[in-house]
Every structure is written in C-alpha cells, then in structure tokens.
C-alpha cells in the first residue's frame, strides 16, 4: 500500500506541524519509525473509542483528545479521537475522522495570533476541541428545560424515552470531559510560564463543562422522580373521580333494583312509594357528598 | 467610542481604587493596557455567567466574584459577575451590572472602619457580596418549610413545580457558593497575618452557606419522596372507599337483579319472599363488613 | 448600661476561669479589651446559631462549642452556643443561654478530679457537652425503632410526618457533631502528651456519635422506601378484593339484567328458565374463581 | 469484693498471657494498677458496645476487638467486645462475655504452631475473631439470595420485613468490620517483618469482608426497588382484569337495564326486539375486545 | 500422593517459567519449599474465590489474577484464579482451572515477540487475562441496550429479572476489575523503564473497563426507575379507561333502574316518557364526555 500525497499535510506552511489525515496510511508508520514513537501508540491511532489520555515519554508526549458531535433531533452524542505526538519542535497529529474541521479551525485561530510554537499548536487544537463542547452543553440544557416542562404538564412514555436518552448522553459526555480535564491538568503542570494562562483558560472551561454536566445529571434524575410523582398524581385524580361516581351511584342502583324486584314490595301501590324512594336516593347522595367534602375530596 | 466620564469612578476619594461602571467602555481597555492586565481577562469582564475564580499572575491577581439576586415570588435566583484586578497599591474593579449596590455598601462599610488598604477593599467587596447570600438562604429555608407542610397536607402538581424550582435554585446556588469558597480559600493562603481573621470570617460564612445548601438539598429531595408516599397513601384511601362501597353493593345488586327477572321465581308470591331477600341482603352486608373490620380496613 | 455583679462569675474559686453569664453584658467587652480578644469574636458571642469552630490566634484560642437540647415528644432538637476564649492561664467562657447546666456539670466533674489547669477546664466543658449527645442519640434510636415497626404494620400520614421530623433532626445533629469533631480534632493536634488521652476520648465519642447518625440516616431513608412499598402492597391487596368481587358480580348482573328485560325472552315461561339462569350464574362464578385461583390471587 | 480464682486464667501455661474472664473482677484493677494501664481504659473494658479501636501509649497498646454472633433464624447480629492490653512481654486480655470461645480457639491455633510471642498471641486472637466473620457473611449471602427470589416471585410484607432486617444487619456489620480494619491497619504499620505476612492476611480478610458487605448492601437496596416494581406490576395486572371485565359488562348492563324499564319501549312486542338487543350486546362486547386487543391488553 | 508428570509443565521450553496445572498436586509444595514461598500463599493457590492481590516479599512477589468467563444466555459471570510467584529469574504459575486457555494465549503472544524475561511473562499473562474482559463488557452493553428498549416498550417481570441479573454481574465484575487495577498499579510502581509502557497499557485498559462498568451500573439503575415509571404509566392508562367507562355507564344504570321500578312512575304511560329517559341518558353522557375532554383525559 502506497502513501498517497493527500494522506499527510502541513497545515501551516513553514511550521514543524505534520497532520496525518488517514490513520490507516503507511505514512504514519514511516513517521513513527523515524521519530521513534512507540508502536503501541501508532496502533492506538487506528482504533476508535479511545479515552482521552496523555503519556509522557523521555523525549515526546502522546496525547489523545476527543472532538464532539451532537445530533439534537436524534438526541445522540458522538466523540471522535484526535491524536497528537509532541516532540518539540515537531508536532505530528492524526485525525481519525476524515472530515474533521478541527485542524482548519485551529489554523485559523493561530493565523490571527502569529504564534506557532509546538505547544501553541497543541493548545490551539485542544482549545478548539473544547470550545465545541459549550454549544452542545447549551443544547442539552434546552432539551432538559423541555423535558422538565413536559414532565409536569404532559407526561407520556415519550418523555421517559427522552429522559433516558439525555441520561445516556450526559454519562457519555462526562466520561469524555473528565478524561480531557485530566489531560489538560497534566499539561498545566508542564506548561511554561507564558502559556500557563492559555492552558488555565482551557482548564477553566472544562471544569465549567463538567460542573454543568453534573448539574444536568441531577436535573434529569430529578425529572424522573417528578415524572413518577406526576403520574401517581394523575392516577390519584382519576381514581378519585371513579370513586366519587361509584359511591354515589351504587346505593341508587341498589335502591332502584330493590323496587324493581317482582315481589310484593312495601308501599308499592301507595302514591307515597315513589316519594319514599326519591327521598332515599336524594338522602344517600347528599350523605355521600357531605362525607367526601369533609374529607376534602371535592 | 469615547470614554464617558461616568464610566469610571473613584468610589473613595484619595484611595487607589478605580471602579469601571460599564464593562463595554474603552476606558477598561486603556486601564488594562496601562497596568498590563491580560487581554483574555479584560475579555472575561465583558462576558456574563463566568464562574467565580481567582488567577494569580506575577504582579497582580484577577478575581471574579458573584453577587446574588433572589426573586422569591417567582422562585428564581440570579448571580451577577463583579471583577477585581488587584495590583497593590492599585485596585481596579469592573461591575457588570449597572445598578449594583455592591460598591456603595462596601464603601459604607470601609468609611466606618477608616481602613482602605488594597486587600481591605477586596475583603470589603467580597464580604458585602457574601453577606447578601445569607438572607437568600433564609428565604429558601422558609420556602422549604412551606413545601414540606404542603407535601404532607395538600400535595398538588403545583407543589411538584415548587420542589423542582427549589431544586434548581439550590443547584445553582451551590455551584456559585462553592466557587466563591475556593476563591476565598485561595486568598486565605495569601492573606497577611493582620487580615487573616477577616478573610477567615468570610470563609466561615461561605462554609456555613454551603453547609445549609446541602442540608436544603437533602430536605427538598426528601420532600419528593414524601410527596410520592403521600399521594400513594391518598390513592390507597380512595381505592379503599371504592372497594368497600363496591363490595357491599355488588351482592345487593345481584340479589335484587335476581328477583327482578321476568321468570317464575321461588317464593315470588309468598309473603316470605321479601323477608328472605331482605335477610339475604342484610346478611351479605354484615358479612362483608365483618371481613373488612377483621382486615383493619374500617 | 452597667455591669451587674451577676453577669460574671468565677465557677471555681481560686481558678483563673471567668464565666460571663449574659453575652449582652458590657463586662464582656471590658474583658475582651483587657485580654486583647478580637472584636469580631466578641460579636460572635452575641449571635446565636454559630457553627462550632476554633480559631487559633497568636496568644489565644477562640472556641465555639454546641450544647444539645432534645424534646422527644415534640420531635425537635436544638443546639445552643457556648464560647471559650483560652489564653493560658486565663479561660473566659460565655454562656449564651442563661439556664445552661454546662458550667455546673463541668465544675462537678473537675472537683472530683482536683485538676483545674486551663486546658483541663476546656476539656471538661467539651466533654460534658458531648456526653449530653449520647442519650439524645439513644432517644432518636428508639424513635427510629418505633418508626420502622409503624412503617411495616400501620403506615399512616403521621408516620410520614415522623420520618420527616427524624430526618431533619439527624441532618441538624450531623451538621453540629461534625463541626464539633473538627474542633476537637484541632485541639488534639495541640494537646500536651498528658491530656491527649482525655481529648482522644472525647474524639472517640464524637466519631461514634457521627457514625450512629449516619446509620440512623440510612435507616430513616430506608423506612421511607419501605413505607412506599408497604402502601403499594396494601393498595394491591385492596384492589385485588375489588377486582375479585367485581369480576364475579358483573356477569351475574348482566344475566339477571337480561332476564329482567320486558321483552319476549327464551324459556321465559318454561320451568327450565330459572334452572338455566341459575346454572349460568353458578358456572360463571366457578369459572372466574378457577381463573383467579390459577393466577394465585386467592 | 474479692477476686475469685476463676476470674483470671493463664490460657497457655508458661506464657506471659493473662486472661481476665470477668471484667467486673477487682483483679482487673489490680493488674491495671500494677502495669500502669490508664483507668479510663480499664473502665472501657466494663462497658459493652465499644467500637473496635487501638490506642498507642508510650509503653503499651490498648486494643478493643469485636467478636461476631449471628442468629440466622431470628435474622439478628451481635458483636461482643474483647479487650487487649499489650505491653511486651505481657499480654492482658479481658473477655466481656463469659462463654466466649475466642480464647480457646486462639490457644488451639497457637499450640499447633509452637509460637507464643506477645504479638503472635494478639494476631491469633484477631485472626480467630475475623475468621468467624466469614461464615456469617456466607449466611447473609444466602439470605439475600432467598430475598431476591422472593421479591420477584412472591412479594409479601414479610419480604419487606426481611429486607429491613438484612439492611440493619449489614449496617451494623460494616460499622464493626470497618473499625476492625482500621485497628489491623494500625498494627500492620507496627508489625515486625516476620509477622507482617500474618497481619496482612487478616487485613486481606477484612478488606474482603467489607467489600462483600458493600456488595450485599447494594443487592438489598436493589431488592427493595425490585419489590416496588414487582408490586406495581401486579397491581397493574389486577387492575387490567377489573378494567376489562368492567368495560365489557357495563354496556351490557345499560342495555339490559334499558329494556327492563316499565315504559313503552321500541320493538318491545316485536319478535325482532330480542334479536336487536342480543346483537347490540354482542357488538358492544366485540368492539371493546377489539379495542383492548389493539392496545395489547389481551 | 505422587506427582504426575502432567501436573507441571514448562510452557516455553528453555525459559525459567514453570506452570503447575493442578493446584492440589504435591509438586506445588515441593516447589514452594525449594523456592521458599510462604506456606499460607501455597494454601491460597488451593482456595478458589480469592480476590486479585499482590504481596511483595523480600525476594519474591505473590500475585493472584482473575480470568473471566461469561455466559450471556444464562446471564452469569464467573472469575477464576490464576496465581503467580515471581522470583526472578524464576516464574512459577498455578492455574486453578484445568482447561484454562490463559497459558496458551500468553505463550502465543510471547512467541511472536521473542521476549521471555520474567516480568515479560507476568505482563503477557495479565494482558491476556484483561483482554478477555473487553468482549464481556461489549456483551453486557448489548444486554443493557435490550433491557432499556424492553423497559420502555414491554415491561414484564422477566425484564426485572434481567435487570437484577445484570446488576449482580456488574457488581461482581467491578469488584474483580478494581482489585486487578490495584495489582497492576502496584506493578507499575515497580516496573523497569522499558516495560512501563506495556504495563501502562494494561492499566489503561482496566481503567476503561471500570469506567464502563460504572456507566453500565448507572444505566441499569436508571432502567429500574424507568420500569417503575413505565408501569405506573400503564396503570394510569388502564384506570383511565375504567373510570371513563364507569362514570359514563353508572348514571345510565341509575336512570334505567329508576324506570325499572315496579312503582307508579311519572310519565310512565305517556309516549314522552321514553323520550325523556333517552334525553336524560344522552345529556348525562354528553356532560361527562365534555368534562373529561376539558380535563384532557380523552
């Protein structure tokens, strides 16, 4: 298998940053061999679903960061891997998804700032990746707002489905954001004085993201409790209606049934018979109504 | 855009404290440039919804603190940012909300004490901000008391809504108070001996605030459990009434229905017919009542 | 306002311990001024609802401890503040509640032991305060036992109220006991060798108290789960009775209703009519009974 | 009160181990005085319900360990205190329960191994005490298995009672095992090299015990959730039966009631009347059945 | 009992690795005696259900690792022990299950790499054991997906059984994976520089495994909440149908019962009688329908 020209690019002409666009490319092995990167780590670049991590070697760092993709309509979240080998002055990055805009955005950001030292490149890439987390967080926040009002006003099994989806998304998000925070925390310890403030900024963002995720998890869990309470409340209301109707109607049915019997009944032929029956029926209804009112059910 | 005179003020004449009243003012940039504050931090002053934080630089501190606003009727809480750059002897503050009374209250407090050194100003501002947390806490406490009695005595969907609102408020409050505590904790480590006791006082207040928030969260969660139990209890009561009425009435309806049939029935023409029917009805009712009493349902 | 003689006392004649019985007394300010106690701390002595705490100053300690008051009938708990300034050889205490028996009990304990050095006085006061926690704990334990048997045998809304009260009490108790433990822990670090064993004893007591509170909180939470299960179980039982009655009776009502119609009915005038109807009714009932028995509902 | 010969024994003739069989015996005070043990600790030996603990003094250790007693039938657990004073070469033990088999078992174990140095005695006693924890754990595990199958197959209020009992037992067990682990952990730090492996073995056992207790607590809590779900499921089934019967029967009752009225009814005297009524009844029943089948309730 | 030739093997000819295939074999005691392994540890090799652990001795390590076995159909998980004594250059392993493929797989892996130093053998064995965890994790993930869709679409008691089984499996899995992580963590601290990256790889795998187990536990717990909500929802739907039918039918039954009485009734002989009754019945039905529609129950 030959290396195609398109597999490897130099995003910023003149800088020591090499980006491998296809992790399957043999060019990656060639670079790894030349720079002395560990074969297990080259292998890692070809497996998706890594967790964000950082390994410090004698003369280089291997960093895996995660980019976010959120599909709000389908209520699904995905994270892609983006790998960095940092061996100053060289920076080798491997993008695992072909159409990632991460490199492009990082280049744009750095052009503005005329700063292209190796750690600045690393920072720019992580910063861009983490910046994409924030709008996803907002979007999840809005979904939770909708969930909460649904749960109180019109709880249906679809609401449950939505709550479950949000819960999964938040669990997945937290897992990735926490690992990213550990990576940035590790980098903070190694950051030179002048870059410290940038890294700290990314770190602050990640702390805020995780903070919000925890808050959102609390809210989704709370929504399920409220869903259950809400349904219990409705069942209670419905049963109350049935009980009131039932308890009012049943004595009337017994009374009319009594006078419907084909037996010789008291007062059957007297004009007072009907009056008696009607009085009994009214009295029974009034008594039951009074009882319910006293218990606060009406 | 020109700097208006009103954008910047010197709250205490003769002191090195400068307060920027409008974060959008170009005066802020001018001060930042002159003092050498980091552009990212000047930018931070223009974004709301920061989390309270402190960054230590070689020759200055950047501090974001949060002021509280509580609307009890609407059951809503809000936090505004107030930013401080401390580069002794200079103190530059940026108030993000135009009508904040924070500066005014801090000035009043310091006049009384004739102490205007830079860290004293910082302390006074944080102290005033945190002092405002306590009445909000009391107000939330009262709302929880109301919630608890509602939950036991008259649980309705509105009660659920209130519990949900309180939960959100407490989550938001805790997030901000915890960040504030971290800021004060950081300042405590740097506090000179003579100011230590003041900072410790603020720290104690914040610890107490967070402590109460945790307690309140426990109570609101507990209220939801009790709400559910309370509703379950009521449904139980209601169903019990329906069951008792139903089980008493159904046999009577069957008996009267039996004698209502247009068939040749036993004892139909005997005067004992009615007696038999009435005896059956009374017996059935008595038997069912006895059964319910034995099960403790009456 | 003049200092009344009764405001200040020397609980142990000849010892350097001064007890201020009324925190509002100007005598307290006079002592504070003379000994150089911080004005904020003198102020603290006049505010109730402090949390237990210890502040170490260059030449003295300020300690706030909490005494317990439990009203089992009303299911309410209260904690009062008792403040200590320790500046060996002087010990100044401030009792915030006028009728506190704490001083009296501590004096009695120390008389027995003929030991009145400053830290011994501190230890005696803390020890007496903590000793009062244990019977309250026992009392709460008994209330929980009652709660648990009620929850299984006769769950009512009053049971819920009790559970809620116990939960509040335990939350309050834990908050105070934890703060007390921190105070004692701080003192342990400063305790001279010969007093270490006494302080450790108080520390052990507090650890045990907190341990029990946690256990009790678990039990009360568990009780609420069981309450809910218990109610669900009862509702199930009640609904089962209604269902069995209803499903047995409804076909009978339909059959008797059918023969009660004023139409020309089959076998209406035959003597077999009644036999047929009775057979149908018996068959329907038997069939339903068999079905229920097979499902294990009878 | 005189010391009876039976109060004190030397479990291994020739060894420096003294066992006090009755903590109330004045012999204990005599030993304490002679060896210089702290009076508070002698006092501790006479109070039950201590928590396992270790105190290190200048020339001796005071250790409280807990022996287990489990009554599976009654679903009750109890822990007794066993106290050790270790002042090499002397070991003084106090058994708080008269019929404890702990000493006997420890002697048996040590005879086999011909090793009776002071710390070996301590190890043997702790080891025997902890060994007794494991069969109790197995027994609890079996009770939980029974609970789980009951909860799914035949949930009754007795199942709840059992779950509650198991929960209490596990809370109590964990409290004691955790304290024991702390004691052994403390001893591990002081263990001479050659005994380290024995102590580590006990420590491993305790870690495993606590690990299992946590697992069991999770399972019991899970059982309660499943109990509630199981009951909810049954209620659902029962209500479904009632609803199907009710909705099928009610229209039939209305129809037969209509033709049971003593009014001039349509088709009353036509032979098609009955056919119409029967057709209506069959149609209503078929329609309702079809509706239920479509909703998946049949 | 004689040592059979088959009890002991040398998996890689020429290497110092000895594998004991039957822990009951006296060959194990012989090796233990010769190498000076602790008798308690030789004993451990003969007891199943150890927890993974590592003990460091002066001249050797004793390591217990766990291999996984998953039966998806029966929803059961099992872990077997595999013991290693590492006393470089010797490595003695004891496989507790006769048909374990662990040795075979580790040999295959090492042949490929031509590396057979003692710690490489240890690493290969642990690596192979942990690699087997990942497909089990995937399988559990699929079971949880099925559970979640069942819980929403067709909740039955079997769904509960499955949730309970998954919960047990995850608890068991976590317990073992956590202990394995501790073992690898301990080894990491002792790993020579060149092996560090391999051990770190195993460690990363275990961290990811535990991370997923936690996530899965959250999802299974969430499923139970949703199960309960789902059942509550269905009961609500069913009760609603019964209530609507009941409240519509009961007034009709009362009305027809009224005109079924054998009394002199108003309009009984008028042709308007029937019209009145039908109007009453239609009005009652319409009124109730309107009320339900207004409450959103239809």
């Amino acid at each position: 298998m030959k290396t195609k020209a398109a597999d490897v690019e130099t995003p910023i002409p003149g800088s020591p940053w090499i980006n491998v666009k296809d992790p399957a490319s043999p060019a990656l092995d060639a670079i790894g061999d030349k720079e002395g990167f560990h074969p297990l780590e080259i292998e890692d670049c070809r497996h998706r679903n890594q967790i964000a991590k950082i390994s410090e070697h004698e003369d280089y760092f291997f960093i895996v960061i995660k980019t976010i993709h959120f599909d709000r309509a389908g209520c699904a979240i995905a994270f892609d891997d983006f790998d960095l080998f940092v061996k100053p002055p060289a920076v080798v990055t491997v993008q695992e998804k072909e159409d990632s805009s991460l490199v492009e955005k990082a280049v744009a950001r750095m052009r503005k700032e005329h700063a292209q030292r190796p750690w600045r490149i690393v920072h720019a890439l992580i910063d861009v990746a983490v910046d994409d987390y924030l709008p996803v967080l907002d979007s999840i926040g809005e979904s939770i707002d909708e969930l909460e009002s649904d749960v109180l006003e019109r709880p249906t099994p679809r609401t449950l489905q939505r709550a479950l989806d949000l819960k999964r998304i938040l669990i997945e998000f937290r897992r990735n954001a926490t690992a990213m925070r550990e990576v940035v925390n590790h980098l903070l310890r190694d950051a030179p004085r002048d870059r410290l403030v940038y890294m700290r900024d990314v770190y602050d963002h990640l702390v805020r993201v995780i903070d919000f995720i925890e808050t959102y998890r609390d809210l989704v869990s709370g929504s399920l409790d409220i869903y259950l309470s809400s349904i219990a409340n409705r069942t209670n209301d419905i049963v109350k209606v049935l009980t009131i109707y039932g308890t009012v109607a049943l004595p009337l049915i017994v009374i009319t049934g009594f006078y419907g019997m084909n037996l010789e009944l008291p007062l059957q032929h007297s004009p007072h018979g009907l009056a008696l029956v009607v009085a009994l029926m009214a009295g029974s209804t009034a008594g039951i109504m009074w009882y319910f009112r006293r218990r606060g059910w009406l």
Side-chain angles (χ1 to χ4, degrees), chain A:
Chain A
M1 184 171 151
K2 280 188 72 178
T3 305
K4 286 170 288 173
D7 284 354
V8 175
E9 63 173 4
T10 312
I12 305 177
S15 93
W17 175 16
I18 296 168
N19 181 40
V20 180
K21 291 174 81 172
D22 176 7
S25 158
L28 181 54
D29 300 273
I31 294 169
D33 277 359
K34 203 187 87 191
E35 298 285 359
F37 299 150
H38 202 284
L40 275 179
E41 290 170 355
I42 296 292
E43 208 50 47
D44 273 358
C45 299
R46 284 164 180 153
H47 287 104
R48 301 208 165 178
N49 295 321
Q50 299 285 116
I51 214 162
K53 67 172 178 183
I54 181 163
S55 312
E56 194 172 345
H57 294 265
E58 249 168 82
D59 58 347
Y60 74 96
F61 285 80
F62 173 58
I63 306 170
V64 181
I65 64 175
K66 309 290 290 185
T67 60
I68 202 166
H69 301 278
F70 184 59
D71 166 20
R72 194 176 164 192
C75 219
I77 206 170
F79 287 87
D80 284 314
D81 294 6
F82 188 93
D83 311 287
L84 298 96
F85 292 91
V86 190
K87 189 185 178 184
V91 173
V92 178
T93 57
V94 186
Q95 77 187 61
E96 297 199 16
K97 215 183 159 190
E98 224 165 300
D99 61 342
S100 169
S101 64
L102 187 68
V103 168
E104 209 172 299
K105 283 190 203 161
V107 168
R109 191 163 296 196
M110 276 182 290
R111 280 239 172 86
K112 259 197 302 193
E113 301 180 20
H114 306 284
Q116 291 137 25
R117 274 166 298 178
W119 283 109
R120 178 63 191 120
I121 295 168
V122 173
H123 168 259
L125 285 163
I126 295 178
D127 199 26
V128 167
V130 171
D131 271 7
D132 284 351
Y133 290 11
L134 299 174
V136 174
L137 214 55
D138 285 349
S139 196
I140 293 173
E142 283 164 33
S143 294
I144 289 175
D145 281 350
E146 281 172 32
L147 177 70
E148 283 185 341
S149 74
D150 273 22
V151 135
L152 275 168
E153 285 157 33
R154 35 179 191 286
T156 65
R158 273 206 43 161
T159 320
L160 273 187
Q161 175 72 61
R162 195 121 45 92
L164 189 58
D165 288 346
L166 282 168
K167 213 170 173 181
R168 293 195 83 129
I169 284 175
L170 288 168
I171 286 172
E172 184 75 9
F173 201 165
R174 185 183 52 153
R175 212 156 53 81
N176 281 285
T178 310
M180 282 295 275
R181 189 192 55 190
E182 286 320 293
V183 166
V184 174
N185 193 22
H186 190 117
L187 287 175
L188 258 179
R189 290 198 303 263
D190 295 311
R193 191 85 194 167
D194 59 322
R195 286 289 160 242
L196 206 59
V197 71
Y198 285 103
M199 280 297 176
R200 214 182 249 160
D201 213 53
V202 181
Y203 189 78
D204 280 358
H205 279 146
L206 280 167
V207 167
R208 210 181 346 150
V209 165
I210 292 165
D211 204 46
F212 267 102
I213 292 173
E214 287 304 321
T215 305
Y216 286 166
R217 274 168 53 97
D218 266 21
L219 289 173
V220 172
S221 290
S223 289
L224 279 173
D225 289 352
I226 285 174
Y227 181 91
L228 203 52
S229 301
S230 214
I231 292 288
N233 220 22
R234 285 182 154 223
T235 302
N236 185 284
D237 276 7
I238 291 170
V239 166
K240 210 193 284 179
V241 166
L242 181 62
T243 300
I244 293 169
Y245 263 80
T247 43
V248 166
L250 286 171
L252 307 186
I253 295 173
V254 172
I255 293 168
T256 59
F258 189 84
Y259 270 90
M261 290 194 289
N262 295 321
L263 292 169
E264 200 60 37
L265 297 159
L267 296 179
Q268 189 168 15
H269 304 293
S270 143
H272 299 304
L274 185 62
L276 173 77
V277 163
V278 168
L280 270 176
M281 287 169 83
S284 147
T285 304
I288 291 162
M289 291 311 232
W290 171 82
Y291 172 78
F292 284 153
R293 189 168 299 275
R294 215 192 46 179
R295 288 196 74 152
W297 291 3
L298 283 177

